[in-house]
């Protein structure tokens, strides 16, 4: 009753136009809870907890006016579509006070061998006309659009919790850790992105003659297979997302290899991806960002490191909270 009431409270506040649908799901959730003080006390507790969470989130800075300032000279045109969610770079994460807590070091210098390696890999694999990318890699790129990142890991958590017959309290803790971790992913990653402001492959490859590196040949017509996200490149949000989710799931279930996982496209339920392990799902979600032409390999490696650190912090402090 407490879990259902807390969920209803938050969902109705976030999506008031869906109140009828939410109330119907709420009533269904309470059907198995007998009338009495346990039910009424549970509902009251759920309402209190939901209100406390909303009060905490109201001051986290995510509703601040967009702080992004386009860089240009007076009177000179720049593209006018603003980057996505720049305010997250200065918002308050869960269980920490500052967004720069896990900020990584800078990306490789443009004059370096690492930069040339990254540049040429994404140039070869990630373009719309790539002949190096396999049909299976192309299909994976098409599935793993930003819209499927979060829902796919929510689905994995549901599938694992059901297969392992996880009880309600442990399931609640699992989803709390998972979603706080995924929310923190955006805060810590956006802090790094807007600190380093590294250009995306489509910009770099069309300007390969001005980066000071003789090993990066310009392609003036190169375009990525994926639509380039509207925020800086470094590090990879998709990688942090996957690494955080996997580490939290494995902290509860171990390195799952015997339970098949299915990710379903939220826009097309007929399109699915199937995985034999958590690690396999992570690996694909990371690599599609290079195969799709929107990230460099270094951003993937740095994202993995950040994801492990974020997850470890969430798990440690989640355990303390549970005790």
């Amino acid at each position: 009753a407490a879990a259902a009431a807390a969920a209803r409270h938050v969902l109705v506040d976030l999506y008031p136009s869906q109140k009828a649908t939410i109330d119907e799901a709420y009533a269904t959730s309470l059907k198995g809870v007998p009338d009495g003080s346990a039910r009424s006390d549970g509902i009251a507790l759920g309402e209190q907890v939901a209100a406390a969470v909303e009060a905490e989130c109201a001051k986290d800075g995510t509703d601040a006016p967009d702080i992004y300032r386009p860089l240009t000279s007076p009177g000179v045109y720049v593209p006018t579509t603003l980057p996505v969610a720049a305010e997250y770079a200065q918002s308050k994460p869960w269980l920490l006070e500052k967004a720069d807590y896990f900020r990584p070091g800078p990306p490789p210098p443009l004059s370096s061998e690492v930069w040339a390696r990254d540049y040429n890999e994404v140039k070869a694999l990630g373009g719309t006309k790539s002949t190096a990318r396999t049909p299976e890699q192309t299909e994976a790129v098409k599935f793993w659009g930003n819209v499927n990142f979060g829902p796919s890991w929510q689905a994995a958590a549901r599938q694992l919790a059901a297969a392992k017959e996880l009880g309600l309290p442990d399931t609640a803790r699992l989803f709390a850790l998972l979603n706080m971790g995924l929310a923190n992913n955006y805060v810590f990653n956006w802090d790094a992105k807007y600190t380093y402001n590294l250009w995306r492959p489509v910009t770099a490859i069309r300007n390969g003659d001005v980066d000071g590196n003789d090993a990066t040949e310009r392609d003036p017509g190169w375009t990525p297979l994926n639509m380039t996200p509207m925020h800086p490149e470094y590090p990879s949000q998709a990688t942090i997302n996957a690494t955080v989710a996997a580490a939290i799931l494995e902290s509860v279930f171990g390195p799952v290899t015997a339970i098949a996982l299915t990710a379903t496209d939220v826009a097309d339920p007929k399109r699915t991806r199937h995985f034999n392990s958590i690690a396999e799902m992570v690996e694909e979600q990371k690599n599609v960002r290079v195969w799709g032409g929107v990230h460099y390999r270094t951003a993937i490696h740095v994202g993995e490191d950040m994801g492990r650190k974020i997850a470890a912090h969430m798990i440690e402090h989640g355990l303390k909270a549970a005790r």
Side-chain angles (χ1 to χ4, degrees):
R8 177 194 174 278
H9 182 109
V10 172
L11 289 171
V12 169
D13 282 355
L14 288 174
Y15 307 105
S17 65
Q18 300 296 313
K19 185 176 182 299
T21 301
I22 295 165
D23 282 345
E24 183 179 345
Y26 176 60
T28 301
S29 295
L30 290 179
K31 279 184 178 178
V33 183
D35 288 330
S37 59
R39 174 183 169 123
S40 59
D41 289 348
I43 291 173
L45 175 62
E47 294 278 354
Q48 291 170 12
V49 170
V53 169
E54 288 183 330
E56 177 70 17
C57 291
K59 55 187 179 183
D60 67 1
T62 55
D63 61 348
D66 196 305
I67 58 171
Y68 181 77
R69 180 172 180 170
L71 296 177
T72 182
S73 301
V76 177
Y77 171 80
V78 293
T80 51
T81 300
L82 291 174
V84 173
E87 67 276 9
Y88 273 78
Q90 298 185 24
S91 60
K92 182 182 180 299
W94 289 96
L95 303 179
L96 283 164
E97 293 299 319
K98 296 180 65 179
D100 63 0
Y101 192 82
F102 293 112
R103 183 186 294 172
L110 300 186
S111 59
S112 67
E113 291 183 8
V114 173
W115 167 251
R117 178 206 68 188
D118 286 359
Y119 176 105
N120 288 308
E121 180 189 24
V122 71
K123 181 183 177 184
L125 283 173
T128 51
K129 300 178 181 179
S130 171
T131 57
R133 187 181 55 245
T134 69
E136 176 62 17
Q137 290 170 336
T138 298
E139 184 59 31
V141 170
K142 291 179 179 178
F143 175 86
W144 284 109
N146 288 15
V147 69
N148 285 328
F149 289 170
S152 293
W153 287 106
Q154 306 293 334
R158 288 195 299 272
Q159 291 163 35
L160 290 170
K164 296 290 188 177
E165 298 181 344
L166 208 63
L168 179 60
D170 288 334
T171 300
R173 176 179 172 274
L174 169 66
F175 276 91
L177 285 177
L178 176 63
N179 286 288
M180 286 192 293
L182 293 179
N184 275 356
N185 154 41
Y186 289 94
V187 176
F188 297 127
N189 189 35
W190 261 235
D191 165 76
K193 282 181 178 294
Y194 287 101
T195 294
Y196 297 116
N197 209 38
L198 184 65
W199 55 5
R200 290 279 184 171
V202 66
T203 311
I205 294 169
R206 287 176 175 233
N207 289 280
D209 58 337
V210 298
D211 64 2
N213 194 318
D214 292 339
T216 58
E217 183 178 347
R218 179 184 184 231
D219 182 344
W222 189 91
T223 54
L225 179 61
N226 252 358
M227 182 180 293
T228 299
M230 283 302 300
H231 43 75
E233 190 273 340
Y234 176 86
S236 165
Q237 182 268 324
T239 300
I240 303 174
N241 176 289
T243 307
V244 166
I248 288 172
L249 292 179
E250 289 183 345
S251 75
V252 176
F253 302 109
V256 174
T257 57
I259 301 173
L261 301 173
T262 299
T264 302
D265 189 342
V266 297
D268 180 6
K270 295 180 181 178
R271 172 179 278 177
T272 58
R273 302 293 294 174
H274 301 282
F275 307 96
N276 295 315
S277 67
I278 293 173
E280 191 176 292
M281 186 165 162
V282 173
E283 198 65 20
E284 182 169 280
Q285 187 179 345
K286 292 185 310 185
N287 283 321
V288 294
R289 307 311 274 173
V290 175
W291 301 340
V294 297
H295 271 302
Y296 313 108
R297 184 63 59 184
T298 295
I300 307 300
H301 294 326
V302 172
E304 288 177 304
D305 182 62
M306 287 181 67
R308 284 190 289 266
K309 290 175 179 176
I310 294 168
H313 184 87
M314 302 305 300
I315 292 163
E316 177 186 356
H317 289 271
L319 285 171
K320 289 179 180 178
R323 294 191 187 105

